[in-house]
Amino acid sequence: MPEPKVLQLAAGSALLGLVLSAGAAGLAGPWDSGQRTAERARAAAGARAGGADHGAAAPGGPAARPDRPARPDAPAPAPSAAGVLTAVAAATAPDKAAAPPPATAPTALAAALEPLLASPDLGPLRTAAVVDVATGEQLYGNGAAAPMTPASTVKVATAAAALSALGPDHRIPTTVVASADFRTVTLVGGGDPTLDGRRLAALARDTARALRDRGATTVRLTYDTSLYSGPERHPIGVNDNIAAVTPLMTAEGRGDGPGTGPAPRSADPAGDTARAFAGLLAELDVTTGKPPARAKAPKKATRLARTYSQPLSALVEHTLTHSDNDLAEALARHTALATGEPASFDGAGRAVRERLDRLGVPLAGARFADGSGLDRRDKVSAALLTAVLARAADPARPELRPVLTGLPVGGFSGTLKDRYADGSPGAGLIRAKTGTLTGVNSLAGTVVTANGRLLAFAFLAGETPSAHAAQPALDRLAAALTR
């Protein structure tokens, strides 16, 4: 007999599938018959397809978008694996003439939410918005337009802006180039905090091979971090929640620490990566002499090797599921680069705002001081967050779909894995981004209601007495929507 928790998740998936198949929020694009882009990326990594990590593009790449010419050096897309879940619509196609489920009555919604929103556990500042995703109608609002410190729920906005600017198939490169005489080799940071030891080793092998082909076995190694500008250190200073914001790092500067969550960070992640690269070259009989120095790559340089990140869709999913601050800041910087802004905190803030403005979300009072939500100067409204979520569910905007597929699932994954315990009506039915700073707690995501509606919600609380009390209060608000 399946566990009740599994049955709840299955029921939620079925309800969500019915809603989507009826046209409420067709999750096309990054989904292949219910398969998440992250699953496709993992399948590709297992297959070790050419171009998945480094090297020139393989044949059979994606068709070029009219507004984004294909890069001749782009890698082939990760091959699609067999579907994990079959879309409900494929098995039970609904009658197109059938009426959609009845809308949730705003009066009933207010009656359910108001007492919960008044909980002293949420502190004196609390705002809320609930939107019917199918119609875009706001079903409930309490201070919905008021700017609030969002904490990590701002990552929803950061992710949507990045996907809007770059597209879900964009990959972030890390490159090695050589001077005209091949006496100087430069490791060029492209802004990929997910670069890991395995890919760095592959990059070294490709570099050593290219140098040997040109008869060069002794070189001077430098590293280029000029892609980003402005301060490298986040305004909160040295902190286990985020590394220095630099375009060159390995494993987010975590060293041997855990892959997600807080961890001690390297004081010099770019230098550490360059020194590790030098060591890898030495093992391949390429001598670099002195320790690598920071220097800008020559203007007329020859590319020796390149490695690519996973597609942006997978990076967004990881950012939201695990509330990854380093990746969020990288997404914001790349949004700036794509928008023509400097890749700095200020430039990224302007770029994120500009992309959200194009999406038509309410921006009154909004401020994007960073991409991760660690900066208390960030300000967004509950109405802004629900509007972004609704745009991500719009069948006309499939490029934004990873904003929804990356949300943690209540009781099952990411930052919601330990919330909505067995027996909670929200387990498996709520997908939401969490936000936590001292005195700030927030929750924004989607929920499938008992009558089959897909709702987007955002609850923001300030001056909360403690996260221990505020988080269950937010969870009760979201769980009330399932009923």
Side-chain angles (χ1 to χ4, degrees):
M1 183 72 181
E3 294 285 344
K5 188 174 182 183
V6 176
L7 289 173
Q8 185 132 27
L9 179 59
S13 299
L15 280 171
L16 181 59
L18 289 171
V19 173
L20 302 182
S21 65
L27 297 187
W31 282 69
D32 286 344
S33 298
Q35 184 187 19
R36 280 175 47 158
T37 54
E39 291 165 349
R40 292 180 62 197
R42 283 194 293 272
R48 302 297 300 126
D53 288 318
H54 60 279
R65 287 178 47 171
D67 62 336
R68 188 177 297 121
R71 293 181 292 111
D73 58 347
S80 180
V84 176
L85 297 173
T86 301
V88 175
T92 56
D95 182 353
K96 292 183 179 180
T104 303
T107 53
L109 202 55
L113 296 180
E114 290 289 355
L116 298 173
L117 195 63
S119 168
D121 293 335
L122 294 175
L125 306 175
R126 73 290 296 266
T127 64
V130 180
V131 169
D132 186 318
V133 168
T135 65
E137 177 189 1
Q138 182 174 292
L139 302 177
Y140 176 76
N142 188 318
M148 295 278 287
T149 300
S152 280
T153 54
V154 82
K155 291 184 175 75
V156 170
T158 302
L163 289 164
S164 171
L166 296 159
D169 298 325
H170 178 77
R171 296 178 186 239
I172 304 173
T174 303
T175 309
V176 181
V177 300
S179 59
D181 59 7
F182 292 94
R183 292 181 179 178
T184 300
V185 170
T186 305
L187 176 62
V188 183
D192 176 15
T194 69
L195 178 68
D196 59 17
R198 177 182 61 85
R199 287 171 52 214
L200 191 67
L203 194 64
R205 288 194 297 273
D206 289 350
T207 300
R209 185 182 305 114
L211 288 171
R212 283 196 299 270
D213 289 345
R214 292 167 172 85
T217 57
T218 300
V219 297
R220 173 175 176 260
L221 179 63
T222 62
Y223 61 100
D224 186 346
T225 60
S226 63
L227 185 68
Y228 290 176
S229 58
E232 284 192 354
R233 187 62 64 182
H234 190 280
I236 64 171
V238 177
N239 193 289
D240 286 356
N241 287 293
I242 189 169
V245 184
T246 173
L248 180 63
M249 63 172 69
T250 307
E252 300 181 344
R254 293 172 177 272
D256 296 328
T260 60
R265 306 305 180 91
S266 164
D268 181 17
D272 286 349
T273 300
R275 287 184 285 272
F277 188 68
L280 291 166
L281 289 177
E283 293 175 5
L284 297 165
D285 299 323
V286 175
T287 303
T288 58
K290 296 180 180 180
R294 190 182 302 228
K296 196 168 183 178
K299 289 185 178 180
K300 294 183 178 180
T302 300
R303 195 180 82 199
L304 301 178
R306 177 171 284 179
T307 181
Y308 288 92
S309 72
Q310 288 186 309
L312 193 70
S313 54
L315 300 184
V316 162
E317 288 180 342
H318 182 91
T319 299
L320 297 176
T321 299
H322 299 286
S323 201
D324 192 307
N325 297 311
D326 302 277
L327 251 179
E329 297 300 345
L331 295 177
R333 299 292 172 107
H334 280 277
T335 303
L337 292 169
T339 311
E341 292 281 357
S344 62
F345 283 109
D346 291 341
R350 290 191 297 270
V352 168
R353 185 184 184 92
E354 190 271 337
R355 297 309 304 191
L356 294 178
D357 186 47
R358 290 193 185 195
L359 293 176
V361 304
L363 288 167
R367 180 179 182 182
F368 303 97
D370 69 0
S372 60
L374 290 172
D375 196 321
R376 291 175 180 272
R377 295 174 298 168
D378 289 325
K379 300 294 177 186
V380 304
S381 66
L384 184 154
L385 292 173
T386 52
V388 171
L389 292 164
R391 299 295 188 280
D394 184 349
R397 301 182 186 275
E399 72 276 6
L400 300 182
R401 208 70 74 240
V403 172
L404 298 187
T405 59
L407 294 173
V409 180
F412 286 88
S413 66
T415 55
L416 287 185
K417 184 176 182 179
D418 297 325
R419 293 164 66 169
Y420 302 96
D422 289 341
S424 168
L429 298 180
I430 291 169
R431 304 189 70 137
K433 182 69 198 75
T434 57
T436 306
L437 293 171
T438 302
V440 175
N441 296 93
S442 54
L443 193 68
T446 62
V447 60
V448 180
T449 70
N451 63 358
R453 307 298 288 193
L454 183 65
L455 306 182
F457 65 86
F459 304 118
L460 307 175
E463 298 183 17
T464 53
S466 74
H468 181 74
Q471 288 176 355
L474 292 170
D475 292 345
R476 287 191 289 272
L477 280 162
L481 298 176
T482 66
R483 296 189 288 267

